[in-house]
Amino acid sequence: MKRKKFLDELSKKEFTIKKIEDNELFYGVRAPQHYFHKYQWLLRNRNSRLHTPDIYGDVPATTRIRIVNFILNKTVTSDFENLHHLMKKKVFKAAFPLHEQEELEEILKEKRAHWRDLFCQELIEKYRCYFGEKVALYFAWLGWYTYLLGFAAVVGLVVFVAGITVFNTSQVSKEICEATDTIMCPLCDQKCSFWRLSETCTYAKVTHMIDNEGTVLFAMFMAIWATVFLELWKRRRATVVTDWDLYRWDEEEEELALELINNLQHEPSKYQHSYFRTAILLLLVLLMIAVLIGITHALVIFRVIAMALFAQSSLEFLREQADTMAVMAGAVLHYVTIVIMTKVNKHVARFLCELEKPRTSSQHENNFTMKMFTFQFFTNFSSLIYIAFFLGRINGHPGNYVRIAGKWRLEECHPSGCITDLFIQMAIIMMLKQTISNFFEYFYPWIRYKFRKLCKKQREEEEEEEEDPCKRQWRDNYDLNEVDTSSLFDEFLEIVIQYSFTTIFVAAFPLAPLLAFINNLIEIRLDARKMMQLYRRAVPMKANDIGIWLQVLEAIGILAVIGNGLVMAITSDFIPMQVYKYMYSPCVTENNTDVDCLTGYINYSLSTFRIQDFEPDTEVPKTQLDRNEIKECRYRDYRNADDYSYTVQFWHILVIRLAFLIIFEHVALCVKLIAAWYIPDVPQSVKNKFRSRKHNNVRKELSMMEYSTTV
């Protein structure tokens, strides 16, 4: 009964309905031509309304699909139920436009011909004519991003290779490898023995392969690159949408036109704002952020416990590599948390958007995007922020450690620095996201589609009768995977989060742009193949930009400057090394230029602890390093040996860190502003095209006026 009422409403609107019975019941609907004529008349080019004799030309298939889909969703039965309500009640299972096989084959042929071209204008035009402008702009943006990412990947690779060349020549690494007499304090309270600093020789070399002067320059380069990328994209986007005649397209005007085409008595919804509702939403968003930060605290606790368990393991390898294994285990758990919380975040963001009651679909999409990105940012980066800026700095010192629940003490950084922990965390997360996540993203729908196809083949063999080709086409389309309304949003979110990894903490992981570049070369091809061969055809949507994602990318660019500045100032040992080199090294104190100026840095950066001041519950097992023979041990900090208060060097380094951070961020932001000013958002060719168009229109109107006056 409900289905009949809905179809009757469509019949009243003069829709043609075709019914096909199979294992499922299919209804094909076709709108009459006058809907498309109204659309063309209402949204004709205002500048040329007097000079367009044939406004009823061919309407593109993408526009027809969009109009029909809008009317279907706005049609309401006498029971005040629309298509969305009926689908929730299982009256209808799905509503989708049909794929056109000939056009798909043509696009695939074009893809194979231009597989090397990341920004092929002909292919983008094919996407536009089949999937609509919104999808075409996604591929245009992804191709442009990947193209420019290639330059960043080359520079990052050069910086990384340069770090490898100093793998064995770093004075700091050399001192660590030769520090056989430097006894370090135990890494845990129970069953952890004293250890020699030279045991971590390889770890130290890897650290200084990442943490060097080239990293500072690369961080500055990426800050500039992010700005140049966005400015060049604005120019590219202006050129593309001008070719599509959409530069001044108004989304609100189109929505109002579609509402009136569907219902001439329609009254536009008013803009509304509720301070009370906004305050409640803000509190709920803050509550969700607090939950995500709490999950980060849980990850910290896991790392602390894992560190203690690995250090007390019966396996010698786990004991020796307890710190590294804890970092890797934490990174894997962090990735699992990201996968789980992504689904949770999506449900929460949708719930909050429903509470917000946005006026239009575009407002709903923008609000959902901001909330989802905010939640995902904290999900992905909270743990990295802890490792970069808090690990090893809030843990206390031997004899007075900061403990969780009064039992497990917080982790310490390796004497060679904390940046390697951040490097390992980012490397594992990026590689897992770009392998496992992408594998499931493509092969899960592929397996589902193949399974349904196999079942259909068995069914056809049982029937063995000639069938209507229209029936086969509809059933083949129905057997494809369902298109989620947020499927394109998911693709954007995935790449924007990748962009965040590539820019914000790139100082700790110079290979991030290279990994992202390789991933995108595959992504840009798999995404198109998924849309064409594994999923039902999405409703084509019109757009003239990538929406609020541009503001998100600009915000990430600013965060990249802040994040890389903090990494270089706080996480990296670049500042302490420079302070030692120019204030305390033999080159300064002894005026000795024959030695490396970093000679003695390791001894300078380690503090001394008297083992008689250990906490009572500390148990150190007897090994080759007998506790009875050891009177003191070393740990990474700048503290006095008498009362364990901070030394003068600590305050010197702190002041220089803050000064470097301020200078770095101001210089980087100034360069970003100069780059944004230097590169116009709109190319001169686009401005000239609009100027010529206006000039021609004015000339035609003047000619018509003179002609009418003469007559």
Side-chain angles (χ1 to χ4, degrees):
M1 290 295 294
K2 290 180 181 293
R3 187 185 304 125
K4 185 177 185 301
K5 288 180 180 179
F6 183 79
L7 295 175
D8 288 344
E9 291 295 328
L10 291 180
S11 297
K12 291 177 184 177
K13 294 182 177 182
E14 302 179 26
F15 270 63
T16 303
I17 302 173
K18 180 178 180 179
K19 177 180 176 182
I20 293 180
E21 292 191 37
D22 190 44
N23 294 330
E24 306 287 350
L25 187 59
F26 293 95
Y27 292 95
V29 297
R30 182 185 296 273
Q33 289 295 321
H34 66 81
Y35 284 110
F36 309 133
H37 294 164
K38 289 178 182 178
Y39 176 88
Q40 283 192 308
W41 173 257
L42 291 174
L43 295 177
R44 66 195 181 282
N45 190 335
R46 295 294 191 272
N47 292 327
S48 58
R49 67 170 66 183
L50 299 175
H51 321 297
T52 309
D54 183 19
I55 64 165
Y56 299 141
D58 291 335
V59 180
T62 53
T63 303
R64 292 171 178 266
I65 293 172
R66 188 166 62 253
I67 294 172
V68 172
N69 180 72
F70 185 90
I71 296 174
L72 283 176
N73 284 295
K74 292 295 181 178
T75 299
V76 181
T77 66
S78 57
D79 298 330
F80 303 101
E81 292 179 318
N82 59 23
L83 182 61
H84 177 70
H85 298 141
L86 297 176
M87 289 178 69
K88 287 180 69 175
K89 294 179 179 179
K90 305 300 182 183
V91 176
F92 293 104
K93 286 188 176 181
F96 53 90
L98 297 173
H99 275 299
E100 299 176 31
Q101 198 59 37
E102 291 183 1
E103 288 192 31
L104 282 180
E105 291 175 357
E106 188 176 347
I107 295 174
L108 288 171
K109 183 179 179 181
E110 191 83 28
K111 267 180 94 271
R112 286 190 291 269
H114 298 278
W115 68 273
R116 293 180 179 175
D117 193 348
L118 293 173
F119 195 89
C120 175
Q121 190 60 45
E122 294 83 0
L123 193 55
I124 298 299
E125 185 64 29
K126 295 281 186 184
Y127 289 149
R128 178 208 173 199
C129 294
Y130 192 81
F131 293 112
E133 288 81 4
K134 197 169 187 177
V135 171
L137 277 172
Y138 163 74
F139 282 107
W141 171 76
L142 180 57
W144 189 245
Y145 165 55
T146 305
Y147 172 72
L148 291 182
L149 194 61
F151 297 99
V154 171
V155 177
L157 184 61
V158 169
V159 171
F160 187 76
V161 171
I164 295 176
T165 60
V166 299
F167 188 83
N168 292 313
T169 60
S170 169
Q171 175 63 28
V172 177
S173 302
K174 182 180 178 182
E175 288 190 4
I176 291 177
C177 294
E178 294 175 354
T180 55
D181 297 331
T182 302
I183 307 302
M184 303 298 294
C185 296
L187 295 175
C188 64
D189 297 324
Q190 309 292 329
K191 298 183 180 179
C192 288
S193 61
F194 297 101
W195 52 285
R196 290 185 173 88
L197 181 57
S198 57
E199 295 175 7
T200 58
C201 177
T202 303
Y203 197 97
K205 289 180 178 180
V206 172
T207 299
H208 294 104
M209 179 180 69
I210 307 163
D211 191 2
N212 53 64
E213 290 81 357
T215 309
V216 181
L217 298 176
F218 185 56
M220 180 70 74
F221 167 81
M222 286 303 296
I224 300 171
W225 175 89
T227 301
V228 172
F229 156 65
L230 289 179
E231 294 304 317
L232 292 180
W233 162 248
K234 292 175 186 176
R235 292 173 60 84
R236 173 63 70 174
R237 167 254 166 194
T239 303
V240 169
V241 298
T242 300
D243 292 340
W244 296 345
D245 199 19
L246 288 177
Y247 189 80
R248 292 191 170 93
W249 171 76
D250 187 350
E251 183 178 8
E252 186 175 21
E253 183 184 17
E254 168 153 319
E255 186 171 354
L256 290 173
L258 289 173
E259 290 283 7
L260 290 171
I261 290 171
N262 178 59
N263 179 13
L264 193 58
Q265 309 304 319
H266 172 265
E267 292 294 330
S269 56
K270 305 294 183 182
Y271 285 99
Q272 295 179 346
H273 181 75
S274 170
Y275 289 100
F276 176 74
R277 182 183 288 119
T278 304
I280 295 297
L281 285 168
L282 180 60
L283 290 175
L284 291 175
V285 169
L286 292 176
L287 177 62
M288 185 62 188
I289 292 174
V291 170
L292 296 174
I293 295 175
I295 292 174
T296 302
H297 289 166
L299 290 173
V300 172
I301 294 172
F302 169 82
R303 282 170 55 108
V304 170
I305 296 175
M307 173 68 184
L309 294 176
F310 285 135
Q312 298 174 23
S313 173
S314 58
L315 298 176
E316 183 179 356
F317 174 78
L318 292 180
R319 287 198 306 272
E320 292 177 351
Q321 305 295 331
D323 188 17
T324 306
M325 294 301 295
V327 172
M328 295 177 67
V332 173
L333 183 61
H334 185 195
Y335 168 75
V336 174
T337 304
I338 291 172
V339 173
I340 296 173
M341 290 308 299
T342 297
K343 300 184 181 299
V344 176
N345 292 341
K346 184 176 288 188
H347 288 295
V348 173
R350 281 177 175 165
F351 171 74
L352 293 177
C353 283
E354 293 301 324
L355 289 180
E356 200 168 7
K357 296 181 179 179
R359 193 179 64 86
T360 63
S361 58
S362 61
Q363 284 185 355
H364 182 280
E365 183 177 353
N366 289 342
N367 295 344
F368 177 75
T369 298
M370 289 304 300
K371 292 177 179 61
M372 186 63 184
F373 175 76
T374 301
F375 297 156
Q376 284 297 94
F377 182 84
F378 280 95
T379 301
N380 283 270
F381 292 99
S382 293
S383 181
L384 294 175
I385 291 172
Y386 165 76
I387 293 173
F389 310 131
F390 297 99
L391 177 64
R393 293 167 183 83
I394 58 173
N395 61 307
H397 60 84
N400 187 25
Y401 281 113
V402 176
R403 299 179 180 276
I404 297 175
K407 184 176 181 182
W408 296 289
R409 78 189 205 195
L410 292 179
E411 302 168 86
E412 300 177 47
C413 283
H414 186 269
S416 60
C418 289
I419 201 166
T420 304
D421 293 338
L422 186 59
F423 175 87
I424 294 173
Q425 186 92 356
M426 286 192 64
I428 291 176
I429 292 174
M430 284 198 72
M431 286 191 288
L432 289 177
K433 284 175 70 69
Q434 295 182 2
T435 53
I436 297 178
S437 295
N438 283 351
F439 178 84
F440 282 104
E441 180 185 343
Y442 180 79
F443 283 101
Y444 177 67
W446 181 80
I447 292 171
R448 289 181 60 189
Y449 169 65
K450 290 297 182 182
F451 177 75
R452 283 195 295 270
K453 196 172 181 181
L454 180 62
C455 294
K456 185 188 75 171
K457 186 177 180 180
Q458 293 176 350
R459 187 172 63 242
E460 288 175 349
E461 290 176 353
E462 292 175 0
E463 294 175 358
E464 289 185 354
E465 61 179 21
E466 190 173 338
E467 61 179 0
D468 182 5
C470 193
K471 174 180 176 181
R472 175 182 288 276
Q473 183 192 16
W474 292 8
R475 193 171 63 193
D476 287 345
N477 277 261
Y478 178 70
D479 287 339
L480 294 170
N481 292 288
E482 183 178 0
V483 176
D484 189 354
T485 54
S486 63
S487 57
L488 190 61
F489 167 85
D490 292 337
E491 302 297 342
F492 263 115
L493 180 63
E494 178 188 354
I495 301 300
V496 169
I497 291 295
Q498 180 210 86
Y499 177 80
S500 304
F501 273 101
T502 305
T503 54
I504 294 179
F505 289 113
V506 73
F509 190 43
L511 292 178
L514 179 62
L515 292 181
F517 178 73
I518 295 172
N519 173 80
N520 290 358
L521 290 178
I522 302 172
E523 181 86 17
I524 200 170
R525 288 159 177 81
L526 290 186
D527 283 349
R529 190 168 292 275
K530 281 191 307 181
M531 292 180 184
M532 291 185 285
Q533 295 182 328
L534 299 181
Y535 284 93
R536 297 169 188 162
R537 186 176 184 178
V539 175
M541 303 301 293
K542 185 176 282 189
N544 63 357
D545 58 29
I546 58 174
I548 201 170
W549 289 113
L550 185 61
Q551 285 76 25
V552 172
L553 292 171
E554 289 176 339
I556 293 172
I558 296 174
L559 289 175
V561 173
I562 298 172
N564 285 302
L566 287 170
V567 168
M568 298 310 305
I570 297 176
T571 314
S572 169
D573 268 5
F574 174 75
I575 298 300
M577 287 181 183
Q578 301 309 310
V579 171
Y580 176 78
K581 185 176 181 179
Y582 293 106
M583 294 182 67
Y584 301 102
S585 70
C587 297
V588 177
T589 58
E590 301 176 8
N591 197 22
N592 188 349
T593 58
D594 296 333
V595 297
D596 192 302
C597 290
L598 288 176
T599 301
Y601 171 75
I602 288 298
N603 185 62
Y604 158 84
S605 65
L606 297 177
S607 297
T608 303
F609 176 75
R610 300 185 300 272
I611 66 172
Q612 64 188 30
D613 297 333
F614 268 132
E615 293 165 298
D617 58 346
T618 301
E619 295 182 6
V620 182
K622 289 187 176 182
T623 60
Q624 294 178 350
L625 299 174
D626 192 350
R627 178 170 180 173
N628 296 327
E629 298 176 358
I630 299 174
K631 302 301 180 185
E632 56 187 26
C633 59
R634 310 297 296 275
Y635 62 100
R636 177 186 168 86
D637 211 337
Y638 295 92
R639 292 181 182 271
N640 291 306
D642 299 329
D643 56 358
Y644 305 118
S645 60
Y646 286 119
T647 61
V648 176
Q649 289 88 339
F650 171 83
W651 300 109
H652 284 170
I653 292 172
L654 180 61
V655 170
I656 301 300
R657 285 184 193 273
L658 295 176
F660 173 84
L661 178 62
I662 294 171
I663 294 172
F664 178 88
E665 291 185 353
H666 279 71
V667 170
L669 289 174
C670 286
V671 172
K672 281 171 65 67
L673 290 174
I674 292 171
W677 165 80
Y678 184 76
I679 305 173
D681 291 352
V682 181
Q684 299 304 314
S685 60
V686 172
K687 292 181 180 179
N688 291 332
K689 185 179 292 186
F690 278 109
R691 186 172 179 83
S692 299
R693 190 177 298 173
K694 288 179 181 178
H695 180 268
N696 292 333
N697 288 338
V698 172
R699 174 182 286 175
K700 288 179 181 178
E701 289 187 9
L702 184 61
S703 301
M704 291 183 66
M705 186 194 73
E706 292 177 350
Y707 174 76
S708 60
T709 304
T710 304
V711 173

